[in-house]
Amino acid sequence: MALLKNFAEKAENYLAAAHSSPVFPTRDALATLQTLYEPLPDNPTSDEEILDLLSEKGSPGTVKSTGGRYFGFVNGASLPAAMLAKLMATVWDQNAGLYLMSPVAAMLEEISSAWLIDLLGFPKQTAVGFVTGATMANFTALAAARHRLLEKMGWNVEAKGLFQAPEITVICGEEVHVSILKALNLIGFGRERIIRVPVDDQGRIIAGKIPDTDGPTIICLQAGNVNSGAFDPIGEICRHKKDQVWVHVDGAFGLWAGASPRTRDLVQGIELADSWATDAHKWLNVPYDTGLVFVKDAAALFSAVASSAAYLPEMNKRDPFQFVPEMSREARGIPVWAALKSLGRKGLSELIDAGCAHARRFADGLRTAGHQVLNEVVLNQVLVSFGDGATTLEVIRKIQEEGICWCGGTVWQGQTAMRISISSWATTTKDVDLSLASILRAAEQVRTASKNKRP
Ligand SMILES: *Cc1c(COP(=O)(O)O)cnc(C)c1O
């Protein structure tokens, strides 16, 4: 089909250029995007023209996070196999809700689930759901926790709701990710009744400061702080937990530390928790959007999210919709399967090791140039300060403007900082060196400019 050949050629050209193009769209590219605004056309547009419009006007307006020099937020790229699998799934246009609507989607989910449980060392009976991202994974796991803890108190929350239900104590660290707060408010726990536990200088929860509770309690822990990459002492906390306590771990990117022997110590004891959330679209380098929720107590997950109706036959097969809040949805297991199959255990551990090595290389280069690295670089995250807040923000602005790489800002324990997050399989040592040079150049320019300003 000429149209698909045309598409393939455009896709190849895009990917070939993505590694060397400005990481963020130029002003011209943004102006071109503006020309797409128009009233809904009365008449049809041809498929060729749609493809041309996307290619000519859309492509320059993308952020080149599929390349190797995007270090903003925690955004993975796409492994070629995962990207192709996703395209194939799109060609197939499968509804992954039910086995009956897509055996291939159901089976590849089932296969990937077993691989992931094995890889991450979780208990065999753990249920795995394929959701849009870690936010939904956190939400789903917490709904399962809510079910089980209240069920133990004789309360069926799915039937009766939360009004008049026994109280559940919710404990999080001061450095909890916002997505956990969102999930907690969506499931009716409210943000203000959460007990916030102090953290140390890396953002790790201080285990000794977790209050001893008697009733049903959820403790939300973190594997990989979004700024510092630090890990809560998950194993230590789980080993002392009581029966009425459910420990949930948000490991949006940090959970993958368990996939490499070099970083596995960071997640030591993590299998003792009750549920875990991670993203496949971050460090596993699966295209958007795919998150994964793992719940040890599979029955609790099903009670929280599963549903039945006369027209939905029970097949004694994996029906993907029973594991997640959605019903109809895309076949997220297909690119996950492809990513794991293409990497293998070895390739994945090398991907994780490379990200960590690149982070250390950034940190060493920054320190050597006299800049202050604010975190212990234990994983793929680096936090750097270039002086006072205004100076650091100005350096970030210059780096983004140059377009060699892209880094964003944050406030880390009261101090303005720049974040560097290495999450792309495509990043090479050369990318790190080019980016480091750009960062140091920006810092030097800002320093010179401020010196010249002084009388
Ligand atoms: C990115 C992130 C999330 C949210 O993940 P989404 O995929 O954006 O929903 C949650 N927790 C942590 C620690 C993260 O880094």
Side-chain angles (χ1 to χ4, degrees):
M1 205 158 58
L3 198 57
L4 283 180
K5 287 217 177 93
N6 187 1
F7 163 77
E9 197 179 312
K10 286 182 160 59
E12 287 223 63
N13 290 342
Y14 177 82
L15 291 171
H19 215 96
S20 50
S21 313
V23 179
F24 195 84
T26 60
R27 271 189 204 98
D28 283 351
L30 294 176
T32 303
L33 285 180
Q34 290 289 333
T35 66
L36 292 171
Y37 287 89
E38 60 173 337
L40 175 64
D42 286 330
N43 296 312
T45 304
S46 73
D47 299 339
E48 287 79 7
E49 200 178 328
I50 299 285
L51 186 56
D52 283 346
L53 277 171
L54 284 173
S55 179
E56 281 159 28
K57 299 195 170 188
S59 291
T62 60
V63 170
K64 305 301 178 292
S65 47
T66 54
R69 296 201 298 270
Y70 184 80
F71 307 112
F73 309 97
V74 189
N75 284 1
S78 288
L79 288 163
M83 181 201 63
L84 291 171
K86 173 138 180 149
L87 290 172
M88 189 59 97
T90 304
V91 170
W92 292 339
D93 191 27
Q94 297 292 280
N95 185 338
L98 295 172
Y99 174 86
L100 273 183
M101 299 194 292
S102 182
V104 62
M107 287 191 207
L108 289 178
E109 260 198 37
E110 195 164 59
I111 295 165
S112 320
S113 298
W115 287 356
L116 288 162
I117 287 171
D118 173 43
L119 180 78
L120 298 168
F122 294 158
K124 277 245 168 341
Q125 78 276 15
T126 302
V128 187
F130 292 66
V131 290
T132 49
T135 303
M136 278 307 286
N138 285 328
F139 169 82
T140 307
L142 290 168
R146 182 181 68 168
H147 169 85
R148 179 58 75 224
L149 293 178
L150 288 175
E151 187 267 340
K152 283 187 185 169
M153 305 289 288
W155 188 267
N156 181 339
V157 68
E158 287 76 31
K160 296 189 179 170
L162 274 180
F163 299 109
Q164 285 145 31
E167 286 218 9
I168 295 179
T169 305
V170 181
I171 298 174
C172 300
E174 281 295 350
E175 273 286 334
V176 62
H177 191 269
V178 289
S179 65
I180 290 275
L181 299 179
K182 182 194 276 202
L184 288 169
N185 85 38
L186 283 172
I187 61 169
F189 287 164
R191 295 171 187 209
E192 288 181 8
R193 43 183 300 287
I194 301 168
I195 298 174
R196 300 286 283 261
V197 179
V199 296
D200 67 12
D201 63 343
Q202 298 302 308
R204 292 174 294 226
I205 213 167
I206 301 170
K209 304 255 176 175
I210 296 177
D212 195 17
T213 52
D214 277 328
T217 303
I218 297 174
I219 305 180
C220 298
L221 300 178
Q222 195 159 253
N225 178 290
V226 74
N227 286 314
S228 69
F231 290 68
D232 288 339
I234 299 164
E236 183 190 339
I237 293 164
C238 287
R239 270 188 285 278
H240 297 108
K241 85 184 172 87
K242 293 182 181 165
D243 205 34
Q244 297 266 70
V245 175
W246 179 296
V247 174
H248 171 68
V249 178
D250 174 8
F253 60 95
L255 213 61
W256 301 102
S260 162
R262 287 177 194 236
T263 42
R264 200 164 288 152
D265 270 358
L266 293 167
V267 292
Q268 186 266 350
I270 199 170
E271 69 285 355
L272 301 173
D274 298 283
S275 56
W276 307 265
T278 194
D279 270 315
H281 58 220
K282 288 182 178 170
W283 220 352
L284 186 59
N285 281 259
V286 165
Y288 291 95
D289 46 18
T290 304
L292 299 160
V293 57
F294 301 84
V295 180
K296 179 154 61 184
D297 180 346
L301 174 66
F302 300 144
S303 299
V305 300
S307 45
S308 62
Y311 78 107
L312 304 169
E314 286 188 20
M315 291 294 296
N316 218 6
K317 301 267 192 206
R318 181 183 175 98
D319 276 326
F321 90 106
Q322 303 287 22
F323 295 71
V324 297
E326 301 97 326
M327 288 191 88
S328 296
R329 62 176 172 85
E330 69 174 290
R332 299 204 169 84
I334 295 176
V336 171
W337 170 84
L340 293 170
K341 174 89 173 159
S342 78
L343 290 168
R345 219 181 272 276
K346 189 155 162 278
L348 180 54
S349 87
E350 284 167 3
L351 170 64
I352 301 305
D353 292 347
C356 297
H358 293 326
R360 291 192 298 270
R361 191 175 181 90
F362 266 119
D364 289 345
L366 290 162
R367 279 195 210 100
T368 304
H371 303 297
Q372 194 191 359
V373 173
L374 303 177
N375 64 322
E376 289 169 20
V377 180
V378 295
L379 204 67
N380 60 338
Q381 307 292 121
V382 181
L383 292 172
V384 56
S385 158
F386 298 100
D388 60 19
T391 303
T392 297
L393 291 177
E394 180 58 12
V395 174
I396 294 171
R397 197 189 62 75
K398 275 205 176 304
I399 293 164
Q400 293 178 353
E401 192 178 72
E402 193 181 42
I404 301 277
C405 66
W406 201 96
C407 302
T410 190
V411 176
W412 175 246
Q413 302 198 334
Q415 191 170 357
T416 300
M418 186 175 87
R419 303 175 65 257
I420 304 174
S421 172
I422 298 96
S423 316
S424 166
W425 70 278
T427 302
T428 61
T429 306
K430 191 173 155 226
D431 287 318
V432 174
D433 291 345
L434 275 172
S435 304
L436 196 52
S438 165
I439 293 168
L440 297 181
R441 200 155 51 232
E444 187 53 35
Q445 282 168 5
V446 172
R447 206 176 63 102
T448 314
S450 81
K451 238 199 274 161
N452 290 347
K453 241 190 274 165
R454 283 191 208 118

